[in-house]
Amino acid sequence: MTCYHWLASYPKSGNTWLRLSLGSLARGGTPPDFAAVELFAPVAGDRAAVDDMADADTADLTPAEAEAVLPGFFRLEAAWLGGQQLRKVHDAWTLTPAGEPLFPPDVTAGAIYVVRDPRDVAVSLAHHLSTGIDQAIAFMADDGAALARGGHYGSPQLRQRLLTWGGHVRSWLGAPARPLLLRYEDMLADPAAALARAARHLGWEPRPGAVARAVAATRFDTLRAAEERHGFRERAWPDVRFFRRGVAGGWRDTLTAPQAAAIEAAHRDVMAELGYL
Amino acid sequence: MTYALCGLRVASELPLPELLPWVGEDRPADIEVRLGDVPPRLEDPAHAGPLLQAARDGTCLYAIAGVASYLVEGGRRVTVRPWADAGAADVRVFLLGSVFGFLCHQRGLLPLHAGCVEVNGKAVALAGHSGVGKSTLTAAFMRQGFPILADDVTVVDLAAPGGPLVLPSFPRVKLWRDALEGMGIPAGGLDRVRRDLDKFQVPVGAGFRATPLPLGAVYHLRTVSDRRHAGEEALRGAASVAALVEAVYRRMSAFRMGRREAVMAALMRLTAVPGVRLSRVMDMAQLDATAAGIAARHGAGVAG
């Protein structure tokens, strides 16, 4: 049963904005509810879901063992839920230790891949993780980089292997799902066009006016204001703002020339292919 | 060797140092754990997932690659086939985790994904998903001198006279190294939960409450990322049922074992027990205050 559409991106690339916009569109253009427990398009392979659906104690599994469970988990969840399921994904498109695609093609209906200028990603990532920009740049160039590495108390997510920033892009654009590629910069320049493309890719047929309403309901300043009022549950740290600037090219007034050069050197080919150089 | 677990007599060919020895009457074992062959597959399983195969009669075959396979039958018998070292802690962690959960469901006991502490003569369950901080909160109670009935899996007997009764399970709390350090508990000398995990077993020792207690309340823990969403909320009606459904340990497994109606019937009876949604920001510095707040709510100014 094909069921999943993966909304994939490297972290801090506009994935959440896309999810909120799609969620709004799915509700006819109403504003997102930041006080809600679960956002539209929950994270793929949420630990609680894996424990329950795959009969697993992920608390006692190594990250590699948990990863090996995921393809089977997705098949069980797909059969259980049925219908179209959207999932947020930060993992690169990789194979499990057993050599199986982490995101099984047999339950994949499609994918949307959101990409953002890695120089802007570096600035945003440093802020999000409360780390230095140089550390963020090194993280983006590390083939072994991962989110939620495990080995700590209080981690609601399983390890997500990212590869390098460029490796992440290549892994998804080469995946069998043949994702729709959305550039964050294009989403900013013409959000209605980007959202309409995403909706079409998902096979949705929005009612007249719904795309415009969803765009208005998820303008960056609107989301920022909502976060001011309600907080935002996907903050990495309780007191660090999630929706920060929402601009393209902000790196120009933040990165030093050597920092920008380091990112360009590490990811030159992929950046050029995507029109960032 | 025979051990005590939830008031059951466990006879095991595999040494189980995490459990207390059986000191009750000499009677036939309630649960037997043997070492032996386990088939790679069940014949015609009703469910075949990445870890569990379940038959229509509730028989479970659980396999953790590289560690062990477990055949769980009739709520009485577990056959363990270790892949490598039978004496490794790795083999026991799944035996005393999911496999124990399957045994409970087969026996008609209700396991909750919860730690459990004694406050003012009642059992208070601290339920929640993996990673929500059940064990650290349980350990905070322990440090303040409150007796512990369970860590991670709390077993409720709904058929017991006098209402839902918590049967004490494990006299240990499993904590990651960073949680130990945050609580000022030295990791030196503690056994690891598994060879390759930086997670340790903290013995509860004399702080273990080895006799059953009536269930006084269930706290459903949730992590929030913004302090404005932290707080307590009494759960009633449908919200209470929904929270309890999520709190059942190995819930989907039980459904797959043909126990769906039994589990739901048990949960309906549990709704008589007060339920509280406890939303908190993950913050080690708040642990003691959270534990003390729960204790005070149940009328305990001091431990016990």
Side-chain angles (χ1 to χ4, degrees), chain B residues 54-237:
Chain B
R56 275 165 238 287
D57 68 356
T59 297
C60 292
L61 195 165
Y62 198 62
I64 303 292
V67 178
S69 304
Y70 310 83
L71 184 66
V72 194
E73 300 168 281
R76 305 188 50 83
R77 199 164 46 252
V78 182
T79 311
V80 183
R81 187 180 75 88
W83 286 38
D85 176 12
D90 300 53
V91 174
R92 297 192 299 274
V93 71
F94 299 105
L95 177 67
L96 302 178
S98 285
V99 168
F100 174 58
F102 305 144
L103 280 169
C104 287
H105 284 299
Q106 287 173 347
R107 295 185 72 91
L109 296 170
L110 183 71
L112 298 178
H113 206 184
C116 192
V117 300
E118 176 185 352
V119 181
N120 216 8
K122 292 275 183 76
V124 173
L126 310 166
H129 298 313
S130 289
V132 85
K134 295 184 296 296
S135 293
T136 46
L137 187 57
T138 303
F141 274 97
M142 180 170 81
R143 199 167 53 167
Q144 292 179 26
F146 291 93
I148 305 299
L149 289 91
D151 170 43
D152 203 37
V153 182
T154 292
V155 178
V156 183
D157 182 357
L158 285 137
L165 211 58
V166 172
L167 308 178
S169 47
F170 306 114
R172 54 102 174 97
V173 177
K174 297 189 286 184
L175 292 175
W176 292 98
R177 182 190 292 275
D178 60 346
L180 285 173
E181 286 171 356
M183 304 188 80
I185 304 171
L190 296 179
D191 291 331
R192 278 176 195 266
V193 169
R194 291 186 66 187
R195 198 191 60 191
D196 294 337
L197 293 185
D198 212 18
K199 196 177 177 188
F200 298 85
Q201 320 228 28
V202 184
V204 173
F208 187 59
R209 175 63 144 98
T211 47
L213 280 179
L215 181 59
V218 181
Y219 283 78
H220 300 275
L221 308 187
R222 182 165 75 190
T223 310
V224 294
S225 54
D226 190 289
R227 296 180 199 282
R228 280 170 291 186
H229 296 166
E232 290 186 6
E233 174 200 356
L235 296 175
R236 297 181 212 291

Side-chain angles (χ1 to χ4, degrees), chain A residues 14 18 20 28 82 89-90 94 99 102 106-107 113 185 199 201 203 205-206 209 238:
Chain A
L18 174 67
L20 291 169
V89 173
H90 282 324
T94 58
L102 183 59
D106 48 295
V107 289
Y113 188 76
E185 295 75 14
H201 190 73
E205 292 172 8

